[in-house]
Amino acid sequence: MNLEFPFDPLKRSEEVENAVTEGSKRLYYRFRPAPYYGGIVTADAVGCSFLCAYCWNYKRNLHPERFRDFYSPQQVASKLLFIAEKKSLRRFRISGAEPILGERTFLHLIEVLRPIFQKKPHSLFILETNGFFLGYRPNLLERLAAYPNLMVRICLKGTDEESFEKITGAKKDFFRYPIIALKELLKLKVRAWPALMGDLFSSEAVDRLEKFLKEKDIRAELELEFLEAYPFVLENMRKRKVQF
Ligand code: SF4
């Protein structure tokens, strides 16, 4: 996969989606219970529209085409439900990658959600996304709004266009799409909120982002997450000149 920084994330999304899907199946490399959110069943996938300097799954997302295990949405849901039953958990998510790269992966996600909510209507699915494709194609959002127990966490990556480009590797003009997704989801009364890697920004930059979101009428609280400083993460950040 040819990659020059900064890249067009739309083009990258298309290429990555082609590499990580086979019909309605998608590549995953692990299914596990994880300790986050007080315990959450997690399907780890590969493939992202961005390539964040701090991504804990950087190598897999750099070369998603090296993976071979395609799973249908029904297989993913049944693996997740099995772990939920065994570990008495009621929260679910997809991690390690971007769940929504384009229409095919969006439909795959919907088909994962459907059996989970059918079998466990009181469970919660936390959609962790970079929000790019959802903001680019906001007409998809109503289908997510149909699931009252779906929560959407959109990681904004940067506090402005410049920091967004430096961190994600994607061209800065695309900074606005995750914000569009967030605004539209809130309009549809979906429980959605923005997140940001707090360690990478000054308190002034975070304040500026919060003010910017308020000006856009986005009232959800900004979640600040903290860096998992694995040696390879620090090395990638050094190479990409992202200060920590
Ligand atoms: S958006 Fe998330 S999964 Fe994608 S590269 Fe960035 S940190 Fe990794």
Side-chain angles (χ1 to χ4, degrees), residues 120-220:
K120 285 193 172 282
H122 301 298
S123 60
L124 274 182
F125 195 103
I126 301 173
L127 175 59
E128 295 181 334
T129 173
N130 63 35
F132 165 63
F133 196 73
L134 290 177
Y136 182 72
R137 290 284 307 279
N139 60 316
L140 297 176
L141 297 174
E142 284 203 11
R143 293 197 67 183
L144 295 180
Y147 296 99
N149 286 349
L150 175 79
M151 299 168 80
V152 186
R153 175 185 185 273
I154 298 188
C155 192
L156 296 181
K157 308 297 176 192
T159 55
D160 53 26
E161 291 185 344
E162 278 66 34
S163 55
F164 168 85
E165 180 171 296
K166 205 167 188 185
I167 288 167
T168 62
K171 286 183 182 163
K172 60 184 173 187
D173 316 347
F174 292 86
F175 173 64
R176 66 182 190 279
Y177 289 106
I179 292 164
I180 294 171
L182 188 55
K183 191 173 162 83
E184 295 303 314
L185 281 165
L186 291 169
K187 267 197 217 162
L188 291 167
K189 309 273 183 243
V190 174
R191 286 180 283 172
W193 71 98
L196 184 75
M197 189 61 80
D199 297 328
L200 305 187
F201 301 95
S202 65
S203 53
E204 290 77 17
V206 173
D207 289 349
R208 275 199 302 279
L209 176 65
E210 285 179 321
K211 190 164 171 263
F212 171 75
L213 293 175
K214 274 199 190 112
E215 282 164 7
K216 299 259 168 215
D217 211 21
I218 293 171
R219 301 280 160 189

Side-chain angles (χ1 to χ4, degrees), residues 13-80:
S13 288
E14 239 181 270
E15 286 173 4
V16 173
E17 190 174 64
N18 285 337
V20 304
T21 55
E22 211 176 66
S24 65
K25 294 182 175 178
R26 178 169 184 165
L27 288 174
Y28 290 83
Y29 67 95
R30 181 171 61 176
F31 298 89
R32 59 180 168 129
Y36 310 100
Y37 303 100
I40 187 160
V41 188
T42 302
D44 287 311
V46 287
C48 189
S49 35
F50 297 164
L51 196 57
C52 300
Y54 62 66
C55 184
W56 64 267
N57 219 11
Y58 194 96
K59 276 194 190 155
R60 292 188 184 94
N61 285 327
L62 184 61
H63 292 295
E65 72 283 0
R66 291 184 181 166
F67 290 78
R68 286 283 163 267
D69 293 325
F70 290 95
Y71 292 85
S72 70
Q74 295 74 20
Q75 287 172 315
V76 175
S78 73
K79 279 186 172 287
L80 293 178

